[in-house]
Coordinates of all heavy atoms in Angstrom, one line a residue:
Q345 N 21.8 -105.1 57.0 CA 21.2 -105.9 58.0 C 22.1 -107.1 58.3 O 22.3 -107.4 59.5 CB 19.9 -106.5 57.4 CG 19.1 -107.3 58.5 CD 17.8 -107.8 57.9 OE1 17.5 -107.7 56.7 NE2 17.0 -108.3 58.8
V346 N 22.8 -107.7 57.3 CA 23.7 -108.8 57.6 C 24.9 -108.3 58.3 O 25.5 -108.9 59.2 CB 24.1 -109.6 56.3 CG1 25.2 -110.6 56.6 CG2 22.9 -110.2 55.7
L347 N 25.4 -107.1 57.9 CA 26.6 -106.5 58.6 C 26.4 -106.3 60.1 O 27.3 -106.4 60.9 CB 27.0 -105.2 57.9 CG 27.6 -105.3 56.5 CD1 27.8 -103.9 55.9 CD2 28.9 -106.1 56.6
D348 N 25.2 -106.0 60.5 CA 24.8 -105.7 61.9 C 24.9 -107.0 62.7 O 25.2 -107.1 63.8 CB 23.5 -105.1 62.1 CG 23.5 -103.7 61.4 OD1 24.6 -103.1 61.3 OD2 22.4 -103.2 61.1
A349 N 24.5 -108.1 62.0 CA 24.4 -109.4 62.7 C 25.7 -110.2 62.7 O 25.8 -111.2 63.5 CB 23.3 -110.3 62.1
S350 N 26.6 -109.8 61.9 CA 27.8 -110.6 61.8 C 29.0 -109.8 62.4 O 29.1 -108.6 62.3 CB 28.2 -110.8 60.3 OG 29.4 -111.5 60.2
S351 N 29.9 -110.6 63.0 CA 31.1 -110.0 63.6 C 32.2 -109.9 62.6 O 33.3 -109.3 62.9 CB 31.5 -110.8 64.9 OG 31.9 -112.1 64.5
L352 N 32.1 -110.5 61.5 CA 33.1 -110.4 60.4 C 32.9 -109.2 59.5 O 31.8 -108.8 59.2 CB 33.0 -111.7 59.5 CG 33.2 -113.0 60.2 CD1 33.0 -114.2 59.2 CD2 34.6 -113.1 60.8
S353 N 34.0 -108.6 59.1 CA 33.9 -107.5 58.2 C 33.5 -108.0 56.8 O 33.6 -109.2 56.5 CB 35.2 -106.7 58.1 OG 36.1 -107.5 57.4
F354 N 33.0 -107.1 55.9 CA 32.6 -107.4 54.6 C 33.8 -108.0 53.8 O 33.6 -109.0 53.1 CB 32.0 -106.2 53.8 CG 31.6 -106.6 52.4 CD1 30.5 -107.3 52.2 CD2 32.3 -106.2 51.4 CE1 30.1 -107.6 50.9 CE2 32.0 -106.5 50.1 CZ 30.8 -107.2 49.9
N355 N 35.0 -107.4 53.9 CA 36.1 -107.9 53.2 C 36.5 -109.4 53.7 O 36.8 -110.2 52.9 CB 37.3 -107.0 53.4 CG 37.2 -105.8 52.7 OD1 36.5 -105.7 51.7 ND2 37.9 -104.7 53.1
T356 N 36.4 -109.7 54.9 CA 36.7 -111.0 55.5 C 35.6 -112.0 54.9 O 36.0 -113.1 54.5 CB 36.7 -111.0 57.0 OG1 37.6 -110.0 57.5 CG2 37.0 -112.4 57.6
R357 N 34.4 -111.6 55.0 CA 33.3 -112.5 54.4 C 33.5 -112.7 53.0 O 33.3 -113.9 52.5 CB 31.9 -112.0 54.7 CG 31.6 -112.0 56.2 CD 30.2 -111.7 56.5 NE 29.9 -110.2 56.3 CZ 29.0 -109.8 55.4 NH1 28.3 -110.6 54.7 NH2 28.9 -108.5 55.3
L358 N 33.9 -111.7 52.2 CA 34.1 -111.8 50.8 C 35.3 -112.8 50.5 O 35.3 -113.6 49.6 CB 34.3 -110.5 50.1 CG 34.3 -110.4 48.6 CD1 33.0 -110.9 48.1 CD2 34.6 -109.0 48.2
K359 N 36.4 -112.6 51.3 CA 37.6 -113.5 51.1 C 37.2 -115.0 51.3 O 37.6 -115.9 50.6 CB 38.7 -113.1 52.0 CG 39.3 -111.8 51.6 CD 40.4 -111.4 52.6 CE 40.9 -110.0 52.3 NZ 41.8 -109.5 53.4
W360 N 36.5 -115.2 52.4 CA 36.1 -116.6 52.7 C 35.1 -117.2 51.7 O 35.1 -118.4 51.4 CB 35.6 -116.7 54.1 CG 36.7 -116.8 55.1 CD1 37.2 -115.8 55.9 CD2 37.6 -117.9 55.3 NE1 38.3 -116.3 56.6 CE2 38.6 -117.6 56.2 CE3 37.7 -119.2 54.7 CZ2 39.6 -118.5 56.6 CZ3 38.7 -120.1 55.1 CH2 39.6 -119.7 56.1
F361 N 34.3 -116.3 51.2 CA 33.3 -116.7 50.1 C 34.1 -117.2 48.9 O 33.9 -118.3 48.4 CB 32.4 -115.6 49.7 CG 31.8 -115.8 48.3 CD1 30.7 -116.7 48.2 CD2 32.2 -115.1 47.2 CE1 30.1 -116.9 47.0 CE2 31.6 -115.4 46.0 CZ 30.5 -116.3 45.9
V362 N 35.1 -116.4 48.5 CA 35.9 -116.8 47.3 C 36.7 -118.1 47.6 O 36.8 -119.0 46.8 CB 36.9 -115.7 46.9 CG1 37.9 -116.1 45.9 CG2 36.1 -114.5 46.4
I363 N 37.3 -118.2 48.8 CA 38.1 -119.4 49.2 C 37.2 -120.7 49.1 O 37.5 -121.7 48.5 CB 38.7 -119.2 50.6 CG1 39.8 -118.2 50.5 CG2 39.2 -120.6 51.1 CD1 40.4 -117.8 51.8
C364 N 36.0 -120.6 49.7 CA 35.1 -121.7 49.8 C 34.6 -122.0 48.4 O 34.4 -123.2 48.0 CB 34.0 -121.5 50.7 SG 34.4 -121.6 52.5
F365 N 34.2 -121.0 47.6 CA 33.6 -121.2 46.3 C 34.6 -121.9 45.3 O 34.3 -122.8 44.7 CB 33.1 -119.9 45.7 CG 32.3 -120.1 44.5 CD1 31.0 -120.6 44.5 CD2 32.8 -119.7 43.3 CE1 30.3 -120.7 43.4 CE2 32.1 -119.9 42.1 CZ 30.8 -120.4 42.1
V366 N 35.9 -121.4 45.3 CA 36.9 -121.9 44.5 C 37.3 -123.3 44.9 O 37.4 -124.2 44.1 CB 38.2 -121.0 44.5 CG1 39.3 -121.7 43.8 CG2 37.8 -119.7 43.8
S367 N 37.3 -123.6 46.2 CA 37.6 -124.9 46.7 C 36.5 -125.9 46.3 O 36.7 -127.1 46.0 CB 38.0 -125.0 48.1 OG 36.9 -124.6 48.9
G368 N 35.3 -125.4 46.4 CA 34.1 -126.2 46.0 C 34.1 -126.6 44.6 O 33.9 -127.8 44.2
I369 N 34.5 -125.7 43.7 CA 34.6 -126.0 42.3 C 35.8 -127.0 42.1 O 35.6 -127.9 41.3 CB 34.8 -124.7 41.4 CG1 33.5 -123.8 41.5 CG2 35.2 -125.0 40.0 CD1 33.7 -122.5 40.8
F370 N 36.9 -126.7 42.7 CA 38.0 -127.6 42.6 C 37.7 -129.0 43.0 O 38.0 -130.0 42.3 CB 39.2 -127.1 43.4 CG 40.4 -128.0 43.5 CD1 41.2 -128.2 42.4 CD2 40.6 -128.8 44.6 CE1 42.3 -129.0 42.4 CE2 41.7 -129.6 44.7 CZ 42.5 -129.8 43.6
F371 N 37.1 -129.2 44.2 CA 36.7 -130.5 44.6 C 35.7 -131.2 43.7 O 35.8 -132.4 43.5 CB 36.2 -130.5 46.1 CG 37.2 -130.4 47.1 CD1 37.0 -129.5 48.2 CD2 38.4 -131.0 47.1 CE1 37.9 -129.4 49.2 CE2 39.4 -130.9 48.0 CZ 39.1 -130.0 49.1
S372 N 34.7 -130.5 43.2 CA 33.8 -131.1 42.3 C 34.4 -131.5 41.0 O 34.1 -132.6 40.5 CB 32.7 -130.1 42.0 OG 32.0 -129.7 43.1
I373 N 35.3 -130.7 40.4 CA 36.0 -131.1 39.2 C 37.0 -132.3 39.5 O 37.0 -133.2 38.7 CB 36.8 -129.9 38.6 CG1 35.8 -128.9 38.1 CG2 37.7 -130.3 37.5 CD1 36.4 -127.6 37.7
L374 N 37.7 -132.3 40.6 CA 38.5 -133.4 41.0 C 37.8 -134.7 41.1 O 38.2 -135.7 40.6 CB 39.3 -133.0 42.3 CG 40.2 -134.1 42.8 CD1 41.4 -134.3 41.8 CD2 40.8 -133.7 44.2
G375 N 36.6 -134.6 41.8 CA 35.8 -135.8 41.9 C 35.3 -136.3 40.6 O 35.3 -137.5 40.4
T376 N 34.9 -135.4 39.7 CA 34.5 -135.8 38.4 C 35.6 -136.5 37.6 O 35.5 -137.5 36.9 CB 33.9 -134.7 37.6 OG1 32.9 -134.1 38.3 CG2 33.4 -135.1 36.2
G377 N 36.8 -135.9 37.8 CA 38.0 -136.5 37.1 C 38.4 -137.9 37.6 O 38.8 -138.8 36.9
L378 N 38.2 -138.1 39.0 CA 38.6 -139.3 39.6 C 37.5 -140.4 39.3 O 37.8 -141.6 39.5 CB 38.7 -139.1 41.1 CG 39.9 -138.3 41.5 CD1 39.9 -138.1 43.0 CD2 41.2 -139.0 41.1
L379 N 36.4 -140.0 38.8 CA 35.3 -141.0 38.4 C 35.8 -142.0 37.4 O 35.4 -143.1 37.4 CB 34.1 -140.2 37.9 CG 32.9 -141.0 37.6 CD1 32.3 -141.7 38.8 CD2 31.8 -140.1 37.0
W380 N 36.7 -141.6 36.6 CA 37.1 -142.5 35.5 C 38.2 -143.5 35.9 O 38.6 -144.4 35.1 CB 37.6 -141.6 34.3 CG 36.6 -140.6 33.9 CD1 36.7 -139.3 34.1 CD2 35.3 -140.9 33.4 NE1 35.5 -138.7 33.7 CE2 34.7 -139.6 33.2 CE3 34.6 -142.0 33.0 CZ2 33.4 -139.5 32.7 CZ3 33.3 -141.9 32.5 CH2 32.7 -140.6 32.3
L381 N 38.7 -143.4 37.1 CA 39.7 -144.4 37.6 C 39.0 -145.6 38.0 O 37.8 -145.6 38.4 CB 40.4 -143.8 38.8 CG 41.4 -142.6 38.6 CD1 41.9 -142.1 39.9 CD2 42.4 -143.0 37.6
P382 N 39.7 -146.8 38.1 CA 39.0 -148.0 38.6 C 38.7 -147.8 40.1 O 39.5 -147.4 40.9 CB 40.1 -149.0 38.5 CG 41.1 -148.5 37.5 CD 41.0 -147.0 37.5
G383 N 37.4 -148.1 40.4 CA 37.0 -147.8 41.8 C 36.8 -146.4 42.1 O 36.7 -146.0 43.3
G384 N 36.7 -145.5 41.1 CA 36.7 -144.1 41.3 C 35.3 -143.6 41.8 O 35.2 -142.4 42.1
I385 N 34.3 -144.4 41.8 CA 33.0 -143.9 42.3 C 33.0 -143.5 43.7 O 32.3 -142.5 44.1 CB 31.9 -145.0 42.0 CG1 30.5 -144.5 42.2 CG2 32.1 -146.2 42.9 CD1 30.1 -143.7 41.0
K386 N 33.9 -144.2 44.5 CA 34.0 -143.8 45.9 C 34.7 -142.4 46.0 O 34.2 -141.5 46.8 CB 34.8 -144.8 46.7 CG 34.1 -146.1 46.8 CD 34.9 -147.1 47.5 CE 34.3 -148.5 47.5 NZ 35.1 -149.5 48.1
F387 N 35.7 -142.2 45.3 CA 36.4 -140.9 45.3 C 35.5 -139.8 44.7 O 35.5 -138.7 45.2 CB 37.7 -141.0 44.4 CG 38.7 -141.8 45.0 CD1 39.2 -142.9 44.3 CD2 39.3 -141.5 46.2 CE1 40.2 -143.7 44.9 CE2 40.3 -142.3 46.7 CZ 40.7 -143.4 46.1
F388 N 34.7 -140.1 43.7 CA 33.7 -139.2 43.1 C 32.8 -138.8 44.2 O 32.5 -137.6 44.4 CB 33.0 -139.8 41.9 CG 31.9 -139.0 41.5 CD1 32.0 -137.8 40.8 CD2 30.6 -139.3 41.8 CE1 31.0 -137.0 40.4 CE2 29.5 -138.6 41.4 CZ 29.7 -137.4 40.7
A389 N 32.2 -139.7 44.9 CA 31.2 -139.4 45.9 C 31.8 -138.5 47.0 O 31.1 -137.5 47.4 CB 30.7 -140.7 46.5
V390 N 33.0 -138.8 47.5 CA 33.6 -138.0 48.5 C 33.9 -136.6 48.1 O 33.5 -135.6 48.7 CB 34.9 -138.7 49.1 CG1 35.7 -137.8 50.0 CG2 34.5 -140.0 49.8
F391 N 34.6 -136.5 47.0 CA 35.0 -135.2 46.5 C 33.9 -134.3 46.0 O 33.9 -133.1 46.2 CB 36.1 -135.3 45.5 CG 37.5 -135.6 46.1 CD1 38.0 -136.9 45.9 CD2 38.2 -134.7 46.9 CE1 39.2 -137.2 46.4 CE2 39.4 -135.0 47.4 CZ 39.9 -136.3 47.2
Y392 N 32.9 -134.9 45.3 CA 31.8 -134.1 44.9 C 30.9 -133.7 46.1 O 30.5 -132.5 46.1 CB 30.9 -135.0 43.9 CG 30.1 -134.2 43.0 CD1 30.6 -133.5 41.9 CD2 28.7 -134.0 43.3 CE1 29.8 -132.8 41.1 CE2 27.9 -133.2 42.5 CZ 28.5 -132.6 41.4 OH 27.7 -131.8 40.5
T393 N 30.8 -134.5 47.1 CA 30.1 -134.1 48.3 C 30.9 -132.9 49.0 O 30.2 -131.9 49.4 CB 29.9 -135.3 49.3 OG1 29.2 -136.3 48.6 CG2 29.2 -134.8 50.5
L394 N 32.2 -133.0 49.1 CA 33.0 -132.0 49.7 C 32.8 -130.7 48.9 O 32.7 -129.6 49.4 CB 34.4 -132.4 49.8 CG 34.8 -133.4 50.8 CD1 36.3 -133.8 50.7 CD2 34.5 -132.8 52.2
G395 N 32.8 -130.8 47.6 CA 32.6 -129.6 46.7 C 31.2 -129.0 46.9 O 31.2 -127.7 47.0
N396 N 30.2 -129.7 47.1 CA 28.9 -129.2 47.4 C 28.8 -128.5 48.7 O 28.2 -127.4 48.9 CB 27.8 -130.2 47.3 CG 27.4 -130.6 45.8 OD1 27.5 -129.7 45.0 ND2 27.0 -131.8 45.6
I397 N 29.4 -129.1 49.7 CA 29.4 -128.5 51.1 C 30.2 -127.2 51.1 O 29.8 -126.2 51.7 CB 30.0 -129.5 52.1 CG1 29.1 -130.7 52.3 CG2 30.3 -128.8 53.4 CD1 29.6 -131.8 53.1
A398 N 31.3 -127.2 50.4 CA 32.1 -125.9 50.3 C 31.4 -124.9 49.5 O 31.4 -123.7 49.9 CB 33.5 -126.2 49.6
A399 N 30.7 -125.2 48.5 CA 29.9 -124.2 47.8 C 28.7 -123.7 48.6 O 28.5 -122.5 48.6 CB 29.3 -124.9 46.5
L400 N 28.1 -124.5 49.4 CA 27.1 -124.0 50.3 C 27.7 -123.2 51.4 O 27.1 -122.2 51.8 CB 26.3 -125.2 50.9 CG 25.3 -125.9 50.1 CD1 24.8 -127.1 50.7 CD2 24.1 -125.0 49.7
A401 N 28.8 -123.5 51.9 CA 29.5 -122.8 52.9 C 29.9 -121.4 52.4 O 29.9 -120.4 53.1 CB 30.7 -123.5 53.5
S402 N 30.2 -121.3 51.1 CA 30.6 -120.0 50.6 C 29.5 -119.0 50.6 O 29.7 -117.8 51.0 CB 31.1 -120.2 49.1 OG 30.0 -120.5 48.2
T403 N 28.3 -119.4 50.3 CA 27.2 -118.5 50.4 C 26.8 -118.2 51.8 O 26.2 -117.1 52.1 CB 26.0 -119.0 49.6 OG1 25.6 -120.3 50.0 CG2 26.3 -119.0 48.1
C404 N 27.1 -119.1 52.7 CA 26.8 -118.8 54.1 C 27.7 -117.6 54.6 O 27.2 -116.8 55.4 CB 27.2 -120.0 55.0 SG 25.9 -121.2 55.1
F405 N 28.9 -117.4 54.1 CA 29.7 -116.3 54.4 C 29.1 -115.0 53.9 O 29.3 -114.0 54.5 CB 31.1 -116.5 53.9 CG 32.0 -117.4 54.8 CD1 32.3 -118.6 54.4 CD2 32.4 -116.9 56.0 CE1 33.0 -119.5 55.2 CE2 33.2 -117.7 56.8 CZ 33.5 -119.0 56.4
L406 N 28.4 -115.0 52.7 CA 27.9 -113.8 52.2 C 26.6 -113.4 52.9 O 26.4 -112.3 53.3 CB 27.7 -113.9 50.7 CG 28.9 -113.8 49.8 CD1 28.5 -113.8 48.4 CD2 29.7 -112.5 50.1
M407 N 25.7 -114.4 53.0 CA 24.3 -114.1 53.6 C 24.2 -114.3 55.1 O 23.4 -113.8 55.7 CB 23.3 -115.0 52.9 CG 23.1 -114.7 51.4 SD 21.6 -115.4 50.8 CE 22.1 -117.1 50.8
G408 N 25.0 -115.2 55.6 CA 24.8 -115.7 56.9 C 24.1 -117.0 56.9 O 23.2 -117.2 56.0
P409 N 24.3 -117.9 57.9 CA 23.7 -119.2 57.8 C 22.2 -119.2 58.0 O 21.5 -120.0 57.3 CB 24.4 -120.0 58.9 CG 25.1 -119.0 59.8 CD 25.3 -117.8 58.9
M410 N 21.7 -118.4 58.9 CA 20.2 -118.4 59.1 C 19.5 -117.9 57.9 O 18.5 -118.5 57.5 CB 19.9 -117.6 60.3 CG 20.4 -118.3 61.6 SD 19.9 -120.0 61.8 CE 18.2 -119.9 61.9
K411 N 20.0 -116.9 57.3 CA 19.3 -116.3 56.1 C 19.3 -117.3 55.0 O 18.4 -117.4 54.2 CB 19.9 -115.0 55.7 CG 19.2 -114.3 54.6 CD 19.7 -112.9 54.4 CE 18.9 -112.2 53.3 NZ 19.4 -110.8 53.0
Q412 N 20.5 -118.0 54.8 CA 20.6 -119.0 53.8 C 19.6 -120.1 54.0 O 18.9 -120.6 53.1 CB 22.0 -119.5 53.7 CG 22.0 -120.6 52.6 CD 23.5 -120.9 52.2 OE1 24.4 -120.1 52.4 NE2 23.6 -122.0 51.5
L413 N 19.5 -120.6 55.2 CA 18.6 -121.7 55.5 C 17.1 -121.3 55.3 O 16.4 -122.1 54.7 CB 18.7 -122.2 57.0 CG 20.0 -123.0 57.2 CD1 20.1 -123.3 58.7 CD2 19.9 -124.3 56.4
K414 N 16.8 -120.0 55.7 CA 15.4 -119.6 55.4 C 15.1 -119.5 53.9 O 14.1 -119.9 53.5 CB 15.2 -118.2 56.0 CG 15.1 -118.2 57.5 CD 15.0 -116.8 58.1 CE 15.0 -116.8 59.6 NZ 14.9 -115.5 60.1
K415 N 16.1 -119.1 53.1 CA 15.9 -119.0 51.7 C 15.9 -120.4 51.1 O 15.1 -120.6 50.1 CB 17.0 -118.2 51.0 CG 16.8 -116.7 51.2 CD 17.8 -115.9 50.4 CE 17.6 -114.5 50.5 NZ 16.7 -113.9 49.5
M416 N 16.7 -121.3 51.6 CA 16.7 -122.7 51.0 C 15.4 -123.4 51.2 O 14.9 -124.2 50.4 CB 17.8 -123.5 51.6 CG 19.2 -123.2 51.1 SD 20.5 -124.1 52.0 CE 20.1 -125.8 51.6
F417 N 14.7 -123.1 52.3 CA 13.5 -123.8 52.6 C 12.2 -123.0 52.4 O 11.1 -123.3 52.8 CB 13.5 -124.3 54.1 CG 14.5 -125.4 54.3 CD1 15.7 -125.2 54.8 CD2 14.1 -126.7 53.9 CE1 16.6 -126.2 55.0 CE2 15.0 -127.7 54.1 CZ 16.3 -127.5 54.6
E418 N 12.3 -122.0 51.5 CA 11.1 -121.3 51.0 C 10.4 -122.3 50.1 O 10.9 -123.2 49.6 CB 11.5 -120.0 50.3 CG 12.0 -118.9 51.1 CD 12.4 -117.7 50.3 OE1 12.5 -117.8 49.0 OE2 12.7 -116.6 50.9
T419 N 9.1 -122.0 50.0 CA 8.3 -123.0 49.2 C 8.7 -123.1 47.8 O 8.6 -124.1 47.2 CB 6.8 -122.5 49.3 OG1 6.7 -121.2 48.8 CG2 6.2 -122.6 50.6
T420 N 9.2 -122.0 47.2 CA 9.6 -122.0 45.8 C 10.9 -122.8 45.6 O 11.2 -123.3 44.5 CB 9.8 -120.6 45.2 OG1 10.7 -119.9 46.0 CG2 8.5 -119.9 45.2
R421 N 11.7 -123.0 46.7 CA 13.0 -123.7 46.6 C 13.0 -125.0 47.3 O 14.1 -125.6 47.4 CB 14.1 -122.7 47.1 CG 14.3 -121.5 46.4 CD 15.3 -120.6 46.9 NE 15.4 -119.4 46.2 CZ 16.2 -118.4 46.5 NH1 17.0 -118.5 47.5 NH2 16.3 -117.3 45.7
L422 N 12.0 -125.3 47.9 CA 11.9 -126.5 48.8 C 12.3 -127.8 48.0 O 13.1 -128.6 48.5 CB 10.6 -126.6 49.5 CG 10.5 -127.7 50.5 CD1 11.5 -127.6 51.6 CD2 9.1 -127.8 51.1
L423 N 11.7 -128.0 46.9 CA 11.9 -129.2 46.1 C 13.4 -129.3 45.7 O 14.0 -130.4 45.9 CB 11.0 -129.2 44.9 CG 11.2 -130.4 44.0 CD1 10.9 -131.7 44.7 CD2 10.4 -130.3 42.7
A424 N 14.0 -128.2 45.3 CA 15.4 -128.2 44.9 C 16.3 -128.5 46.1 O 17.3 -129.2 46.0 CB 15.8 -126.9 44.2
T425 N 15.9 -128.0 47.2 CA 16.7 -128.2 48.4 C 16.7 -129.7 48.9 O 17.7 -130.3 49.2 CB 16.2 -127.3 49.6 OG1 16.3 -125.9 49.2 CG2 17.0 -127.5 50.8
V426 N 15.5 -130.2 48.8 CA 15.3 -131.6 49.2 C 16.1 -132.6 48.3 O 16.8 -133.5 48.7 CB 13.8 -132.0 49.3 CG1 13.6 -133.5 49.4 CG2 13.1 -131.3 50.4
V427 N 16.0 -132.3 47.0 CA 16.7 -133.1 46.0 C 18.2 -133.0 46.2 O 18.9 -134.0 46.1 CB 16.3 -132.7 44.5 CG1 17.2 -133.3 43.5 CG2 14.9 -133.1 44.2
M428 N 18.7 -131.8 46.4 CA 20.1 -131.6 46.6 C 20.6 -132.3 47.9 O 21.6 -132.9 47.9 CB 20.5 -130.1 46.7 CG 21.9 -129.9 46.8 SD 22.7 -128.7 47.9 CE 21.6 -128.5 49.2
L429 N 19.8 -132.3 49.0 CA 20.2 -132.9 50.2 C 20.1 -134.4 50.2 O 20.9 -135.1 50.8 CB 19.4 -132.4 51.4 CG 19.6 -130.9 51.8 CD1 18.6 -130.4 52.8 CD2 21.1 -130.7 52.2
V430 N 19.2 -134.9 49.4 CA 19.1 -136.4 49.3 C 20.1 -136.9 48.3 O 20.8 -137.8 48.5 CB 17.7 -136.8 48.8 CG1 17.6 -138.2 48.5 CG2 16.7 -136.4 49.9

């Protein structure tokens, strides 16, 4: 069903998933490491946020953005989605 709605091939979507997921992990770890520097809370906030955005983007490549949004706002996941976004 997703393959029919997407113009990207499965291999392309899988490659971008890996790229976004690895960069998301990298940014999150980098932000956590920079937290210990003087004034590092600002760097932590920026890099950890970039890491979360990249991790969310990675799953968009696998499922598609609309399907991901529908799943994020299901009643069983609504509280977790709101907490993550806030």
Side-chain angles (χ1 to χ4, degrees):
Q345 184 179 13
V346 174
L347 287 175
D348 296 336
S350 176
S351 61
L352 300 175
S353 70
F354 179 73
N355 287 336
T356 303
R357 290 187 292 122
L358 191 60
K359 287 175 190 174
W360 279 104
F361 164 76
V362 171
I363 290 168
C364 287
F365 189 74
V366 169
S367 64
I369 291 172
F370 173 74
F371 283 138
S372 295
I373 292 172
L374 180 64
T376 303
L378 293 174
L379 181 62
W380 308 111
L381 295 176
I385 192 77
K386 294 176 186 175
F387 292 116
F388 169 76
V390 170
F391 284 109
Y392 201 78
T393 301
L394 286 174
N396 281 331
I397 291 170
L400 283 173
S402 70
T403 55
C404 279
F405 279 105
L406 284 184
M407 292 194 288
M410 291 309 296
K411 187 173 182 181
Q412 177 163 344
L413 285 174
K414 287 178 185 177
K415 284 188 176 267
M416 283 175 63
F417 288 100
E418 287 178 350
T419 56
T420 57
R421 298 178 180 178
L422 185 59
L423 179 61
T425 300
V426 169
V427 168
M428 189 224 23
L429 292 175
V430 170

